[in-house]
Every structure is written in structure tokens, then in C-alpha cells.
């Protein structure tokens, strides 16, 4: 791995690497620029993503492509009602020598695609909590460290809710971003169909490796931030909490719960990373606003009045910003 003489040189390298990664991914993933951007910000910020979108919007292909370009190990776990925690984490078996041996589950990879995470019961969903937060797995009282970097990208289908188990707020809060995928434009869909119905094969370059990604994750934390920008990020999260001194009339009227301190942390980290990939050496308020919607969307809870009047989470966040 290259050694950089200063953080300024390292930020320039991250900016250049980000642009090359975007160009490489664009050979396979048509459109979805903001989604790709958010996923990469999550990775460089050492966070996790929750992707919400109807089937067929290339969520799985996106994760596979990102893993290939970043030269990271990848596993896809299909969450089903009968999936058990041991199916994810691994289990101990009795070997021929009459001793127990731990067999690692699919979670022991750099990138995990948790497909339709709301299709499995809470007990299995909770098996991800320790892994996502502590980056370790505990089985039979023994702790096993996960490979680094470690990144969970979970998907949900927003239109089919029968037989699902909504994620509890404690687990939703572990995801840095909640990203909504929309349908492609006509021109983008035309290109998708043209590419996928022909005998076309793309050879992707491996542009980074695990050590370089871990280095850039540490770099993002080292990026300086002005006090007024830090206060701005914290104030945004604080204003979402109804019944507090900083809450607006709209917040008090339409929200039951606001965002916790983890939102403030992710707003700052996301702003730092957004600035770095944009070629800036320190974030400003625009960088905070750029990541705010995806960070706050799953951390604020609307009340019945908001739902009855058709006030969306996005509208509340937009007015807040």
C-alpha cells in the first residue's frame, strides 16, 4: 500500500480513487449515481446501508460489482422465515478427534448482502446486531473477530409486507444510510435492456484492496471539521426531537420520536467523507445537507397526524434543512 506524505495528499488520492471507482462501476450499473455515491460513502465511513426498492433494480448486482472493484470478499444471505442465527454466524461441530470445532458462517466476509432482511424473525435479525456494531461474533461464549473492513448492505421490498418482520428501531439505528432506489429513466432502462440482452461481458478492474480501504476509513475520521459545521450537524439531529427546546412547531406537530446521538455522529462522518470524495479538505454545511436525508430518514418516526395529512418523512427533513 502506498504511503502518503500528508493527509492532504491522502485526501487527493481518495478523491481520485472515488472517481475511478465510480467510472468502473458505471460499466455495469446504469444510472443510480446517488445510490452508488451513498454506498461508497458508507464504506469509506465504516458504516452500513439499508437499501429500499422494488425487485429488479440491480441491488444485488450493485453489491457484487462494488465488492469486485474494491477487491473484497462477498457473501449474499437470503433472509427467510426459517433462517436461524447459526445459519448466519456459524456453529460448533464435534470433530473426529472428539473436540468441538467452530465452522464459520457466511457473515465472515468483507461485504454482506442481507437480502430482504425483514423476511426473517427478530431472533435472526438480532444476530446481525453485534456483528454490525462491534465487528465480532460470539458463539458458545467464544468471540470471533470479523474480517476488516466489514460492511452490511441490507435490502427491503417496500411494496410487499405480508409475512415480514419490521426491523426494530435499535437495529435500524445501526445503519448509516437508508437509501431509496427509484425506477430508472426511459433512456437508462433502454441502456440496461440493451446491455443485458446481448452477449456482453465486462472485465472489471480491482482498484483498491482491504488495507487501502481501512486506511481511507481512518483518514476520513482524521479530516478536520470547523466548530460551526460540527454544531450545525448536531443541531439538525437535535431539532428532530419533539418536546425539546430546539424542536420546531412542525416537529412537535408531526413527529413522535426524533433522531438520537448516532445520527449526529453519522452526519459528521458522512459530511467529512462527502467533502473528501469531492476533493475538499474539510466539510462545510453543504456536505452535511448532502447526506442528511438518507441518515435521518429511518431515525425519525411520524405520528398519526402526519400520516393522515400525507406529510412524508422527506418533506419534514427538507423543511428542517
Amino acid at each position: 500500500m502506498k504511503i502518503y506524505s500528508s493527509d492532504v495528499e491522502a485526501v487527493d488520492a481518495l478523491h481520485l480513487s472515488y472517481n475511478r471507482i465510480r467510472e468502473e462501476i458505471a460499466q455495469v450499473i446504469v444510472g443510480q449515481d446517488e445510490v452508488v455515491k451513498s454506498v461508497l460513502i458508507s464504506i469509506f465511513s465504516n458504516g452500513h446501508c439499508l437499501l429500499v426498492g422494488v425487485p429488479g433494480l440491480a441491488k444485488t448486482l450493485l453489491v457484487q460489482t462494488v465488492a469486485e472493484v474494491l477487491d473484497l470478499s462477498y457473501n449474499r444471505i437470503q433472509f427467510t422465515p426459517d433462517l436461524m442465527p447459526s445459519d448466519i454466524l456459524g456453529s460448533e461441530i464435534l470433530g473426529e478427534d472428539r473436540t468441538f470445532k467452530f465452522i464459520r458462517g457466511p457473515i465472515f466476509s468483507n461485504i454482506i448482502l442481507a437480502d430482504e432482511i425483514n423476511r426473517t424473525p427478530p431472533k435472526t435479525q438480532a444476530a446481525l446486531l453485534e456483528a454490525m456494531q462491534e465487528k465480532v461474533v460470539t458463539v458458545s461464549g467464544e468471540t470471533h473477530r470479523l474480517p476488516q473492513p466489514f460492511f452490511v448492505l441490507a435490502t427491503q421490498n417496500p411494496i410487499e409486507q405480508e409475512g415480514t418482520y419490521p426491523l426494530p428501531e435499535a437495529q435500524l439505528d445501526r445503519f448509516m444510510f437508508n437509501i431509496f432506489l427509484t425506477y430508472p429513466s426511459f433512456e437508462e432502462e433502454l441502456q440496461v435492456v440493451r446491455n443485458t440482452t446481448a452477449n456482453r461481458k465486462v472485465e472489471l478492474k480491482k482498484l483498491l484492496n482491504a488495507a487501502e480501504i481501512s486506511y481511507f476509513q481512518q483518514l476520513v475520521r482524521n479530516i478536520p471539521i470547523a466548530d460551526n459545521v460540527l454544531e450545525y450537524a448536531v443541531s439538525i439531529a437535535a431539532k428532530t426531537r419533539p418536546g425539546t427546546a430546539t424542536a420546531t412547531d412542525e416537529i412537535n406537530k408531526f413527529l413522535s420520536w426524533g433522531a438520537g446521538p448516532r445520527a449526529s455522529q453519522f452526519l459528521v462522518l458522512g459530511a467529512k467523507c462527502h467533502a473528501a470524495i469531492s476533493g475538499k479538505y474539510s466539510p462545510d454545511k453543504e456536505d452535511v445537507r448532502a447526506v442528511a436525508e438518507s441518515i435521518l430518514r429511518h431515525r425519525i418516526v411520524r405520528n398519526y397526524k402526519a400520516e393522515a395529512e400525507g406529510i412524508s418523512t422527506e418533506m419534514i427533513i427538507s423543511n428542517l434543512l
Side-chain angles (χ1 to χ4, degrees):
M1 191 187 84
K2 183 177 178 180
I3 304 298
Y4 300 100
S5 59
S6 66
D7 282 352
V8 169
E9 185 183 347
V11 169
D12 289 338
L14 175 56
H15 172 56
L16 179 62
S17 296
Y18 168 76
N19 288 329
R20 291 172 60 205
I21 291 166
R22 285 283 296 270
E23 291 172 4
E24 200 69 18
I25 292 174
Q27 294 188 67
V28 177
I29 304 297
V30 177
Q32 306 289 10
D33 290 341
E34 288 304 311
V35 175
V36 173
K37 184 178 185 178
S38 295
V39 170
L40 293 175
I41 288 176
S42 284
I43 290 176
F44 289 125
S45 301
N46 201 13
H48 308 287
C49 271
L50 179 64
L51 281 181
V52 180
V54 298
L57 295 182
K59 297 186 290 293
T60 303
L61 181 61
L62 169 62
V63 186
Q64 290 174 333
T65 305
V66 169
E68 186 172 351
V69 172
L70 298 182
D71 196 17
L72 297 174
S73 58
Y74 159 79
N75 267 327
R76 175 179 178 270
I77 305 173
Q78 181 65 53
F79 281 72
T80 57
D82 61 346
L83 194 72
M84 298 297 292
S86 59
D87 297 328
I88 300 173
L89 307 180
S91 58
E92 287 191 330
I93 64 169
L94 189 62
E96 294 180 356
D97 57 354
R98 311 300 295 173
T99 60
F100 283 99
K101 180 182 179 182
F102 178 65
I103 304 299
R104 295 185 170 193
I107 200 169
F108 285 86
S109 288
N110 296 122
I111 293 184
I112 300 297
L113 173 59
D115 217 354
E116 295 192 282
I117 191 173
N118 58 334
R119 293 246 167 244
T120 201
K123 183 178 181 179
T124 306
Q125 291 174 357
L128 277 178
L129 277 176
E130 182 187 25
M132 291 173 64
Q133 184 64 24
E134 307 298 337
K135 310 297 174 67
V136 297
V137 165
T138 303
V139 177
S140 300
E142 188 173 347
T143 300
H144 305 271
R145 191 160 297 279
L146 294 169
Q148 295 300 314
F150 177 74
F151 175 66
V152 173
L153 196 148
T155 69
Q156 285 190 167
N157 179 355
I159 60 174
E160 188 183 354
Q161 298 302 321
E162 288 187 18
T164 62
Y165 304 84
L167 292 175
E169 279 68 24
Q171 185 158 357
L172 279 174
D173 200 41
R174 296 308 198 276
F175 290 98
M176 179 176 186
F177 283 138
N178 182 359
I179 306 168
F180 279 16
L181 279 80
T182 58
Y183 290 110
S185 67
F186 180 81
E187 291 75 16
E188 289 171 346
E189 188 166 351
L190 200 64
Q191 187 177 344
V192 168
V193 174
R194 183 182 291 115
N195 292 347
T196 56
T197 57
N199 190 17
R200 176 178 178 268
K201 188 174 181 180
V202 178
E203 292 291 337
L204 294 172
K205 299 176 183 175
K206 300 185 186 300
L207 299 178
L208 288 180
N209 57 40
E212 290 170 317
I213 293 168
S214 295
Y215 174 82
F216 284 136
Q217 287 175 339
Q218 192 60 46
L219 171 70
V220 167
R221 288 185 169 271
N222 290 339
I223 291 174
I225 182 170
D227 286 343
N228 68 312
V229 180
L230 184 70
E231 291 169 4
Y232 177 69
V234 175
S235 71
I236 288 176
K239 286 178 181 178
T240 66
R241 299 161 191 165
T244 61
T246 57
T248 64
D249 291 340
E250 184 183 46
I251 295 298
N252 287 324
K253 183 178 179 181
F254 293 127
L255 290 188
S256 299
W257 296 98
R262 192 176 277 120
S264 301
Q265 295 169 337
F266 282 144
L267 283 169
V268 171
L269 277 175
K272 285 184 175 186
C273 189
H274 188 274
I277 65 175
S278 302
K280 297 188 289 186
Y281 304 116
S282 182
D284 54 30
K285 293 180 179 180
E286 285 301 317
D287 294 302
V288 177
R289 284 193 283 269
V291 299
E293 184 176 294
S294 295
I295 288 174
L296 295 176
R297 180 186 283 132
H298 55 303
R299 291 185 165 87
I300 61 177
V301 181
R302 293 178 300 156
N303 58 23
Y304 176 77
K305 189 174 183 64
E307 295 182 13
E309 295 187 17
I311 304 298
S312 68
T313 302
E314 288 74 19
M315 291 168 61
I316 294 173
I317 295 171
S318 178
N319 292 338
L320 185 67
L321 296 176

